[in-house]
Amino acid sequence: ISGNYNTPLTIASDNDIIITGNIYQTGQSLGSTPSGSAMLGLIANNFVRIYHPVAGTPPSDGSTCNVSDANGTMTNPYVYAAVLAVNHSFIVDNYNCGGTGNGTLNMYGAIAQLYRGTVGTHSGISVTNGYNKNYVYDARLGNVEPPYFLNPVSAAWYVQRQTECDIASACT
């Protein structure tokens, strides 16, 4: 998922939601405080992930790698959304790879997750792989939420109906 929105919207997934680019309100200047009535909710049964591919295979021994795939890695991504990872985490794919050139993950909204997810590895206060964090709470969420957003404390949701079809116009 990536792009911009101009009306309140919630996107839910039975599995993961993968963020592949900036997500922001139409007319929003990246880095500015969110305003207006358009809000985005992202709800995944599993992970809400920032897409960060690597070339080759990350090491399985727990060590870090410095090989990123520049064709898919975002530099200084912006996400304006309320995020809920029901059973897992908000995380960066291959957070231990890619060196320091990824910049900062800019999150304007809120994050609710079952387990704290990793977005980068650090040595002291300096990021060594993945992203630095710039998380800013969207104060509008104190009074209003995206449409059909779940209560992160008491929600136990599931797919109630699923429809698959070959031609979009034939789906009913």
Side-chain angles (χ1 to χ4, degrees):
I1 184 171
S2 66
N4 55 357
Y5 53 93
N6 60 11
T7 60
L9 172 69
T10 295
I11 299 171
S13 169
D14 190 35
N15 196 0
D16 295 351
I17 292 177
I18 304 168
I19 298 170
T20 59
N22 293 329
I23 300 175
Y24 56 98
Q25 183 178 340
T26 302
Q28 180 78 51
S29 297
L30 296 180
S32 64
T33 302
S35 61
S37 62
M39 300 176 87
L40 177 65
L42 299 176
I43 303 172
N45 245 3
N46 290 320
F47 294 92
V48 177
R49 301 172 17 215
I50 301 292
Y51 185 63
H52 178 66
V54 296
T57 305
S60 60
D61 62 0
S63 62
T64 60
C65 60
N66 288 315
V67 182
S68 66
D69 178 356
N71 294 322
T73 297
M74 297 176 284
T75 303
N76 300 315
Y78 284 84
V79 178
Y80 284 80
V83 173
L84 174 59
V86 177
N87 293 310
H88 288 289
S89 306
F90 175 71
I91 193 168
V92 170
D93 291 341
N94 305 304
Y95 62 84
N96 62 331
C97 298
T100 60
N102 301 318
T104 300
L105 172 57
N106 300 283
M107 177 72 197
Y108 290 82
I111 301 170
Q113 56 193 340
L114 187 59
Y115 304 104
R116 185 175 178 194
T118 307
V119 300
T121 57
H122 294 79
S123 173
I125 60 171
S126 300
V127 69
T128 55
N129 287 294
Y131 295 98
N132 283 308
K133 295 181 196 177
N134 177 32
Y135 292 177
V136 179
Y137 176 69
D138 183 347
R140 299 176 303 164
L141 292 168
N143 300 316
V144 67
E145 60 191 30
Y148 306 105
F149 203 74
L150 303 175
N151 180 336
V153 176
S154 63
W157 76 287
Y158 56 92
V159 175
Q160 198 168 9
R161 178 180 152 214
Q162 181 175 341
T163 303
E164 294 185 28
C165 51
D166 294 331
I167 301 171
S169 63
C171 291
T172 55

